[in-house]
Amino acid sequence: MLRTACMSTGLAAASAFVGPAPSGGVVSSAATGQRFLAPEAASPEQPAGLGASGVLAAAGACAVAAGAAARAERRRPRARAVVACRAGGADTEAIAKQVAASAAATMVAVSAAAAPAAAYPIFAQQNYPNPREATGKIACANCHLQGKYIEVKMPHEVLPDTIFKTLIELPLKYEKRVQPIADGSKASLNAGAIAIMPEGWKLAPKDRLPKALKKQMKGLAWSPYSKDKPNIVVAGPVPGKIYETMVLPILAPDPNKTPEIVFNKYEFYFGGNRGRGQVYPEGNLSNVNMYTAAAEGTVTEIVPGEKVVITKADGTVVDSLIGKGATVVVEVGESVKKDEQITTNPNVGGFGQEDKEVTLQDMNRVYAYCGLSISIFLAQLVFVLKKKQFEKVQLAEGF
């Protein structure tokens, strides 16, 4: 009975923390408060995970139930025999162990029930099995319409089964630039990145990372794009102020262990993103857009974050919808033309991509090249010495 009461109380406490996820797939950054993408349109509700507070609440409820059962046990009449008391104490001890086991099981179940948050790069992962199109464009460019420069630094040649560092730089004045988030308030920009590697190349395992490289990563977490594509990894959204330069550790394959991998030149494709997107995968616009007048006429009303009402010459009223947090640049009574700008453009972020080539080098080739170079050098040296000797002989003979 005690175990049943504990489990029911724990589930009740847990249900108090479980609720439907927000309609938008949004993740807020603890450091900057910036949401990388605004809520999805018509996204299905998903149960949110309990987190640490829910787990502690469930465990606390079990502890409270265990304490109540122990107090009830102590309140029993003392007229029972000592043997019965000892048996009751033994039962209490066994029940307490069962309570502890139930609490542990509840914590494990609650942790496993946590659903992944819907935010970038989850939009691309859900809608694009392959993030790189045949034209070379990465799927992120379909939602982040403005182009921004990125720079990728990586070695030109690497050896098999070695870990090398790749730097993805996303330059921007993150301290000064802000963007409207889903509720219309302004916040700093987050950043994200994607790396598309050839088959066989993958993210370096954590147990093989040098301490110096771990320190340079600043706790940045890279994750596979999908189970079928471990050679594609993504990171973000993370605060741009901290991760203006992202460090990606890559493990080179070993052709001696993997026959399908050969010593050759391989191409890598990188993408870097700053700020929120302007278009959702469903095609609807976010509030990080510039809005224009829907018709020609006179502005008669402005509802901040909702619409600008325009009255045409014939008296027809037309609403020009605007997003939350939009800064209107027209005033009531002002005449506007169709498709004329009525708000500022809040988009200060963007997406960029870059391609790189890396050669998987075989040391035997390096040794062969060194041997060839030395043999050519010695041959040229012998030729020059022989020529000098021949010239001395000619001088001695009077030629």
Side-chain angles (χ1 to χ4, degrees), residues 76-261:
R76 292 181 179 179
R78 297 183 179 180
R80 296 182 180 180
V82 178
V83 177
C85 292
R86 291 179 180 178
D91 292 341
T92 303
E93 183 179 358
I95 293 174
K97 292 182 180 180
Q98 292 180 357
V99 168
S102 300
T106 303
M107 294 176 66
V108 173
V110 166
S111 302
Y120 176 87
I122 198 66
F123 288 151
Q125 291 172 309
Q126 290 178 346
N127 294 276
Y128 301 94
N130 188 354
R132 186 173 182 270
E133 300 177 1
T135 58
K137 182 177 71 172
I138 298 178
C140 306
N142 295 331
C143 296
H144 301 267
L145 306 182
Q146 183 165 293
K148 283 291 184 179
Y149 169 78
I150 71 168
E151 184 176 358
V152 180
K153 298 179 180 179
M154 62 188 311
H156 183 264
E157 298 178 354
V158 295
L159 296 177
D161 197 30
T162 57
I163 296 176
F164 61 96
K165 177 178 64 176
T166 300
L167 300 179
I168 304 175
E169 297 182 357
L170 310 173
L172 190 71
K173 296 180 180 178
Y174 294 97
E175 294 78 10
K176 300 180 180 179
R177 301 292 179 89
V178 292
Q179 268 189 354
I181 57 178
D183 61 3
S185 59
K186 302 294 180 65
S188 301
L189 277 71
N190 281 352
I194 181 172
I196 304 176
M197 300 177 287
E199 294 288 343
W201 303 69
K202 59 182 180 180
L203 182 68
K206 294 182 180 180
D207 56 351
R208 293 188 56 180
L209 291 179
K211 293 183 179 180
L213 187 54
K214 288 183 179 179
K215 186 176 181 180
Q216 294 177 7
M217 292 181 64
K218 301 178 183 178
L220 180 64
W222 292 86
S223 60
Y225 186 80
S226 64
K227 294 181 180 180
D228 300 332
K229 298 184 181 297
N231 58 308
I232 304 177
V233 293
V234 292
V238 292
K241 297 179 181 179
I242 303 175
Y243 298 100
E244 184 174 354
T245 299
M246 297 186 179
V247 180
L248 171 62
I250 301 177
L251 176 62
D254 189 356
N256 299 323
K257 299 179 181 179
T258 311
E260 57 269 18
I261 301 296

Side-chain angles (χ1 to χ4, degrees), residues 289-295 299 308 310 320-322 326-331 334-347:
N289 279 283
M290 179 184 69
Y291 297 89
T292 59
V299 178
V308 174
I310 300 175
S320 295
L321 301 179
I322 59 178
T327 303
V328 181
V329 295
V330 295
E331 298 178 353
E334 183 177 346
S335 299
V336 295
K337 297 181 179 179
K338 182 177 174 57
D339 296 330
E340 181 180 344
Q341 178 180 348
I342 59 176
T343 66
T344 59
N345 186 1
N347 183 21

